[in-house]
Amino acid sequence: MNVDEHLHWEEEIKQELTYLEGISQKRRLVTTKYAERPWLIINGCKMLNLASNNYLGLSGDQRLVYAAAAAAHTYGAGATASRLIVGNHPLYSEVESVLINWKKDESALVVNSGYTANIGVISALMRRDDVVFSDKLNHASIVDGVILSRAKHQRYRHNDLNHLEALLKKASPHKRKLIVTDTVFSMDGDMADLEGLVLLKERYNAILMVDEAHASGIYGESGQGYTHHVKLQDKIDIKMGTFSKALGSFGAYITGEKWLIDYLTNRMRALIYSTALPPAVLGAAKAAVEIVQEDEACRTVLKKNAAYFRKLLTDFGFHICGSQSQIVPVLIGRNEDTIRFAQRLQEEGIAAIPIRPPTVPENEARIRFTVTAEHSKEDLDWAVKTTAHVGKEMGVIA
Ligand SMILES: *Cc1c(COP(=O)(O)O)cnc(C)c1O
């Protein structure tokens, strides 16, 4: 290799890092330790955890911990191969049966993560020149799935079904069409209009896929997801959810009709070419699905906490971006102010994350709080009082 060329790309990459630093978008990995839940130790300081997706507190639940340990004892630490080779240990079919019963669906497929599920499903189903219609605020893994599929990417304005319909109208009736949406949006904490999406899917002969990452375990009669909450599970073709958030573990699943799961088993490269999940992970996932079906109280506490937190922030004059869930963003605006806000919260003992472009639109940087069932009323009162103090100091609220 030519030495000058080498220096050239190294210089370019370093310049990009300097650029990110300059616009307050450079990320760093910080070690996080648990103190007593929901408290964390970051950089030696104790902070209230308002940043995790452990909505029901299940990741620390001893029933999951024991189930994980028991699975590792029985089946070993690793799966040793992909599912289609010899990695399909017995826990897979046990978890998939539990899922089918829970979601009242025909068939289920467990995959390695939510990210894997989205890139895998979209790229397996959609071909070059097919069209994917995707909400602008959908998760990055959905965007990556579309890129990988080489399909045409049509992004509609957040929750704007008129815009979606205009795009559907323009698409060729001969192309395969997929509409895909988060059910609970990870940045704004609001919900998709599933009823409207089902109407459009039927009218334009499209496939409809939903991502329940932030709704699994929380919405629906026994925590099956937002799709069940609005009773549209039979109208939606592909339902994806994860074990990694409210379910406190790791991994993801897809449920749908048998032919769909059959097809994915044959064509989903992210399933075929990656080692199966470690048994411990599936042990915990199975325990989690069993627990959320029974533990209605946990969901009720979470919803009560979230509503209380949203109301307190709104009463103080914060703009919470239409949140209706346990994900509660507070709009700040500029990147630098948002970073500063998050720093000030950390100094005061609150861990909440600044969300900046490109994750959200320019000038809509925000602090994203996530409420869990583990927070006490005192925790939330204190957190909002502290946030209001910082908000006044920085001129975000009057
Ligand atoms: C977190 C998330 C994912 C990715 O799930 P992982 O299990 O963390 O890989 C996918 N979609 C949405 C909407 C998410 O919030």
Side-chain angles (χ1 to χ4, degrees):
M1 191 190 11
N2 180 316
V3 174
D4 287 346
E5 266 172 41
H6 168 78
L7 286 176
H8 180 62
W9 61 253
E10 188 175 326
E11 213 37 60
E12 269 180 0
I13 289 168
K14 287 180 179 166
Q15 270 171 17
E16 196 171 329
L17 287 171
T18 311
Y19 168 75
L20 286 176
E21 184 89 59
I23 58 167
S24 306
Q25 285 190 19
K26 183 143 181 264
R27 270 96 158 149
R28 286 179 183 79
L29 292 167
V30 183
T31 301
T32 307
K33 284 195 295 192
Y34 279 104
E36 186 119 338
R37 288 161 196 278
W39 293 82
L40 300 170
I41 311 274
I42 300 175
N43 295 329
C45 305
K46 193 175 161 195
M47 290 180 210
L48 184 64
N49 187 359
L50 282 164
S52 93
N53 301 319
N54 186 24
Y55 302 125
L56 299 173
L58 285 179
S59 94
D61 189 299
Q62 289 306 299
R63 291 170 291 182
L64 266 72
V65 175
Y66 282 115
H73 275 295
T74 309
Y75 299 108
T80 79
S82 70
R83 291 191 67 182
L84 285 168
I85 309 300
V86 290
N88 197 37
H89 46 92
L91 278 171
Y92 267 109
S93 62
E94 290 178 31
V95 175
E96 285 168 352
S97 307
V98 170
L99 281 170
I100 289 168
N101 268 327
W102 181 43
K103 304 273 290 186
K104 301 281 178 289
D105 222 325
E106 209 175 275
S107 204
L109 184 70
V110 171
V111 299
N112 285 6
S113 71
Y115 186 88
T116 305
N118 283 338
I119 62 163
V121 170
I122 297 171
S123 64
L125 235 60
M126 302 306 281
R127 306 152 301 184
R128 195 187 289 276
D129 299 329
D130 288 338
V131 193
V132 181
F133 302 86
S134 173
D135 189 292
K136 274 205 172 153
L137 288 191
N138 276 345
H139 192 260
S141 53
I142 293 174
V143 175
D144 292 359
V146 182
I147 294 171
L148 195 56
S149 75
R150 303 185 185 85
K152 212 166 139 199
H153 199 180
Q154 300 266 283
R155 301 179 76 193
Y156 57 93
R157 286 187 293 271
H158 178 49
N159 266 339
D160 183 343
L161 298 199
N162 290 327
H163 187 206
L164 169 60
E165 180 157 26
L167 294 172
L168 280 162
K169 256 186 199 144
K170 275 192 250 160
S172 157
H174 307 296
K175 298 292 179 200
R176 191 179 287 177
K177 296 186 259 311
L178 170 71
I179 303 171
V180 56
T181 187
D182 291 8
T183 55
V184 172
F185 285 91
S186 55
M187 290 302 134
D188 279 21
D190 57 351
M191 280 81 157
D193 172 4
L194 293 185
E195 212 162 311
L197 288 169
V198 165
L199 281 176
L200 289 179
K201 154 217 146 69
E202 287 172 350
R203 190 173 299 156
Y204 292 92
N205 192 23
I207 309 166
L208 179 57
M209 170 173 178
V210 296
D211 175 338
E212 299 263 31
H214 293 281
S216 297
I218 300 171
Y219 294 94
E221 214 170 292
S222 53
Q224 304 99 317
Y226 189 68
T227 302
H228 283 72
H229 175 76
V230 293
K231 301 196 162 48
L232 287 171
Q233 63 271 26
D234 297 331
K235 304 266 182 188
I236 292 169
D237 305 290
I238 308 169
K239 284 138 278 185
M240 170 278 196
T242 72
F243 299 121
S244 51
K245 286 168 181 157
L247 296 176
S249 171
F250 187 68
Y253 52 88
I254 298 129
T255 68
E257 288 183 40
K258 191 169 175 315
W259 61 264
L260 171 76
I261 300 304
D262 253 357
Y263 181 77
L264 293 175
T265 308
N266 283 277
R267 284 285 184 261
M268 183 171 161
R269 295 170 65 85
L271 169 85
I272 299 169
Y273 298 107
S274 190
T275 299
L277 286 168
V281 166
L282 287 170
K286 183 175 168 223
V289 177
E290 286 166 351
I291 292 167
V292 294
Q293 292 185 65
E294 294 156 13
D295 199 346
E296 179 65 37
C298 211
R299 269 191 288 288
T300 309
V301 172
L302 171 64
K303 283 175 193 155
K304 212 176 101 205
N305 278 353
Y308 184 63
F309 190 70
R310 292 195 305 266
K311 178 174 185 323
L312 289 183
L313 284 170
T314 313
D315 287 350
F316 269 110
F318 286 110
H319 179 30
I320 62 165
C321 308
S323 162
Q324 301 166 51
S325 69
Q326 73 283 0
I327 298 167
V328 189
V330 162
L331 190 70
I332 308 291
R334 295 178 347 139
N335 288 347
E336 310 82 82
D337 297 341
T338 311
I339 301 283
R340 176 89 194 111
F341 204 106
Q343 261 168 8
R344 284 287 299 118
L345 287 178
Q346 291 209 2
E347 285 161 16
E348 299 289 333
I350 294 177
I353 39 172
I355 309 279
R356 290 157 280 174
T359 313
V360 291
E362 289 294 334
N363 294 314
E364 289 185 29
R366 59 197 66 179
I367 302 289
R368 178 178 178 274
F369 295 100
T370 49
V371 179
T372 74
E374 289 186 310
H375 291 114
S376 67
K377 181 171 177 296
E378 291 69 38
D379 290 337
L380 299 175
D381 284 333
W382 175 78
V384 173
K385 216 178 76 194
T386 307
T387 306
H389 167 74
V390 173
K392 281 177 191 155
E393 175 190 295
M394 292 190 54
V396 173
I397 53 170

